[in-house]
């Protein structure tokens, strides 16, 4: 959840010596938005129950707008809550849910503890992606 990852690369020539030079640096401004307090087990259960009641109508409305809700092996993909339920995310806000491929959804859920804990990789600049340099 990097907010900004500035890469300052430059190429030029020295004035005193006519030789080509390259340089640069990286500056990451990061913030994990996952600093909300955990809900009690009872409140978390209530959030999940609300999502369970809402899930079918949400998927139907989503399908009408974007096409069939994705499935894998005849099973609907999970709906991933951007602000998760355990930390107070709104279970019935359509802007808080998107379909996530099951394997990818597991990765999201595995990464939340590191994000909440301010641990790597969520406390560093993003990866160096040379193919984005033009």
């Amino acid at each position: 959840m990097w907010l900004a990852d500035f890469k300052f690369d430059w190429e030029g020539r020295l004035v005193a010596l006519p030789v080509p030079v390259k340089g640069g640096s990286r500056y990451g401004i990061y913030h994990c938005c996952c600093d909300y307090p955990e809900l009690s087990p009872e409140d978390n259960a209530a959030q999940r129950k609300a999502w369970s009641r809402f899930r079918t109508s949400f998927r139907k409305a989503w399908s009408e707008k974007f096409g069939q809700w994705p499935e894998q092996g005849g099973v609907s993909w999970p709906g991933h809550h951007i602000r998760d339920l355990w930390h107070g995310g709104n279970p019935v806000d359509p802007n808080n849910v998107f379909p996530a491929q099951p394997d990818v959804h597991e990765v999201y859920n595995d990464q939340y503890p590191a994000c909440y804990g301010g641990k790597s990789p969520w406390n560093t600049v993003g990866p160096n992606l040379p193919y984005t340099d033009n």
Side-chain angles (χ1 to χ4, degrees):
M1 293 179 212
W2 296 288
L3 294 181
D5 185 3
F6 297 105
K7 187 172 181 180
F8 300 100
D9 288 345
W10 55 270
E11 294 182 38
R13 298 182 74 75
L14 292 177
V15 176
L17 300 170
V19 294
V21 292
K22 293 182 180 181
S25 65
R26 304 267 316 262
Y27 181 68
I29 300 173
Y30 59 88
H31 172 73
C32 181
C33 63
C34 310
D35 59 356
Y36 302 104
E38 292 178 7
L39 298 179
S40 69
E42 297 79 21
D43 289 341
N44 186 32
Q47 294 281 79
R48 296 197 176 281
K49 192 177 224 178
W51 166 241
S52 293
R53 287 191 306 264
F54 180 68
R55 181 176 26 237
T56 301
S57 64
F58 170 77
R59 286 180 179 166
K60 183 178 181 216
W62 190 93
S63 294
E64 289 170 358
K65 191 172 186 178
F66 300 109
Q68 182 64 38
W69 182 269
E71 294 182 349
Q72 186 171 323
V75 177
S76 293
W77 284 11
H80 179 72
H81 287 82
I82 299 163
R83 180 172 171 198
D84 72 310
L85 303 182
W86 188 27
H87 292 86
N90 185 337
V92 298
D93 177 1
N95 294 317
N96 191 40
V97 183
F98 65 92
Q101 186 176 3
D103 294 350
V104 174
H105 192 240
E106 288 179 25
V107 172
Y108 294 154
N109 289 338
D110 289 345
Q111 289 299 313
Y112 270 86
C115 180
Y116 289 117
K119 297 177 183 158
S120 181
W122 305 109
N123 62 353
T124 61
V125 297
N128 188 24
L129 303 173
Y131 56 84
T132 62
D133 295 340
N134 292 321

